[in-house]
DNA sequence: GTCTATAACGAGATAGAC
DNA sequence: GTCTATCTCGTTATAGAC
């Protein structure tokens, strides 16, 4: 009986994965806006109504793809961080950024799904919030380590930004000074700005040696959050 | 006869504008991927085949919208720069960035069209290259002014980046040192990273006082391209 | 209980004949 | 420029196999 349930659950997991794989394939050549349950079902040899056993609606399938993408890029960041070993915080920062970049360049369509234009008519449920913050949390933890061991080299917060800095620090970096919270939020957005320009082709005909360019840019981001050149 | 042609051309201009306006409206609630000549025609009370007299294909209409958007955001940057008056380069930089941000927040869908995910199946023709670079050129010209009057405070280029820096400088900033070209390209991407995070909702539940946050972030970008705090 | 298949709805797109 | 026949879509109700 539990063996039966085991087999059923296995089948369910497999079919769910097959649906998502096929949906990702369609994402790549048609874009998220045109993702169609019927087309996915057709390609899998199923009937469209059968898909509703696995995803209650098209938006739920989209949500699953989005959560998977955030988890994949978050995993990439966390794995890179864990594997970085005993190097300086600055080097760990660069390593994590380069790993995130590697994922994005390898999966441009999934990257576009999470960091590109919002899908029209779709509003992300709160289930995406957690996975969406994993890359940021990895970067924050690097800054936290550096703060505790050597401190962070950051200018004081301007008076106009003081309330926001304190709110931000309370929300995302309770153990770090307010200046670090502001710098980290900006660096986080700027990292993905560099990435989006590369993935979306804005650097075509502009930047040629993108590896070197990107590495230098994320080193500057490390500096902007106060990570020292040598620990 | 020339009066007739004048009237005809006027009508053509008006209809072309009406088509683009309606297309922009549809962009807002359906996204670029689903932009359909037929729907535009229907909404305008025309027949779809009539539209082909104004735009030979859906992609041509898309191109026109993209060029318009690049020109509008470029105009915004140039106008802000021209109206900034006799202030420091750093202040001009911030003014231009805030103006660009104002445009993006007011027209999120047009912003998404040019700085969001690429439209599946569409490849931008070379006619978009010029308009696409206007914001960057405005920022470059600020750095150029500062360089000529006070110089730019920039660290030397790392050896690994030297070839790219020189190529980049030759292409986009022939009058500036290679270090400035690299810094400007990075700041350019990072500016739009901040903007995309704000426009696309990534800052929801994270950054609250976005005006103050953004202004501080673009001041840091000014610093990253070597603009001094006081001229 | 779990799943798939049939059929249908209302809406919209598309192709072609006229 | 118009009309129509035929596609697509998301979604639901229902019936039956395992």
């Amino acid at each position: 009986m539990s063996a039966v349930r085991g087999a059923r659950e296995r089948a369910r997991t497999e079919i769910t994965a097959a649906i998502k794989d096929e949906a990702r394939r369609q994402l790549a050549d048609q874009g998220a806006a045109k993702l169609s349950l019927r087309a996915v079902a057709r390609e899998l040899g199923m009937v469209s109504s059968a898909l509703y056993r696995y995803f209650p609606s098209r938006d739920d399938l989209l949500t699953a793809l989005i959560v998977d993408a955030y988890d994949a890029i978050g995993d990439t960041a966390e794995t890179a961080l864990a594997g970085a070993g005993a190097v300086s915080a600055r080097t760990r920062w660069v390593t994590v950024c380069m790993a995130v970049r590697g994922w994005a360049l390898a999966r441009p369509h999934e990257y576009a799904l999470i960091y590109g234009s919002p899908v029209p008519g779709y509003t992300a449920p709160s289930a995406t919030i957690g996975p969406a913050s994993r890359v940021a949390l990895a970067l924050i933890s690097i800054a936290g380590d550096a703060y505790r061991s050597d401190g962070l080299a950051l200018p004081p917060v301007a008076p106009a930004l003081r309330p926001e800095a304190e709110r931000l620090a309370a929300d995302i970096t309770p153990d770090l000074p307010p200046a670090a919270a502001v710098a980290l939020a900006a660096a986080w957005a700027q990292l993905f700005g560099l990435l989006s320009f590369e993935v979306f082709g804005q650097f075509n005909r502009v930047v040629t040696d993108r590896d070197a360019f990107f590495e230098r840019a994320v080193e500057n981001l490390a500096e902007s959050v106060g990570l020292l050149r040598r620990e």
Side-chain angles (χ1 to χ4, degrees), chain A:
Chain A
M1 177 141 144
S2 89
V4 171
R5 196 166 64 218
R8 229 178 247 162
E9 297 227 336
R10 208 160 39 244
R12 186 176 176 83
T13 309
E14 266 170 37
I15 296 180
T16 304
I19 292 169
K20 291 197 289 191
D21 284 347
E22 176 57 31
R24 271 185 281 266
R25 254 211 46 242
Q26 299 198 7
L27 220 59
D29 51 53
Q30 299 206 316
K34 286 193 177 162
L35 177 68
S36 139
L37 278 190
R38 281 187 118 105
V40 171
R42 195 180 326 122
E43 216 64 30
L44 291 174
M46 304 171 74
V47 98
S48 68
S49 59
L51 280 201
Y52 285 81
R53 286 277 149 191
Y54 300 88
F55 297 96
S57 75
R58 192 201 85 126
D59 281 8
D60 287 279
L61 174 54
L62 248 186
T63 298
L65 297 178
I66 289 171
V67 168
D68 279 5
Y70 275 130
D71 273 332
I73 201 169
D75 266 339
T76 301
E78 288 163 13
T79 304
L81 180 53
V87 293
S88 71
R90 198 185 176 100
T91 303
R92 290 207 300 284
W93 175 282
V94 173
T95 301
V96 168
C97 289
M98 294 304 282
V100 166
R101 170 176 178 254
W103 185 90
L105 292 178
R107 295 172 147 64
H109 303 101
E110 287 174 71
Y111 178 84
L113 182 64
I114 52 181
Y115 292 106
S117 329
V119 183
Y122 171 85
T123 46
S126 51
T128 59
I129 298 177
S133 49
R134 289 175 61 186
V135 170
L137 289 175
L139 296 175
I140 289 170
S141 86
I142 296 172
D145 291 346
Y147 175 65
R148 280 182 290 278
S149 62
D150 303 270
L152 297 173
L154 286 167
V157 178
L161 197 56
R162 189 88 212 169
E164 175 61 29
E166 275 161 11
R167 192 170 24 209
L168 205 49
D171 284 354
I172 65 171
T173 58
D175 302 332
L176 297 182
V182 175
L184 279 163
W188 173 55
Q190 288 168 354
L191 165 64
F192 286 100
L194 291 160
L195 252 166
S196 292
F197 263 37
E198 185 171 8
V199 174
F200 297 160
Q202 221 91 25
F203 280 149
N204 292 351
R205 280 172 245 261
V206 180
V207 179
T208 305
D209 184 353
R210 308 219 176 122
D211 290 348
F213 177 82
F214 197 91
E215 180 149 350
R216 174 69 196 143
V218 299
E219 276 217 28
N220 276 343
L221 288 182
E223 188 133 0
S224 79
V225 300
L227 301 186
L228 302 166
R229 197 168 288 273
R230 311 221 160 264
E231 266 188 25

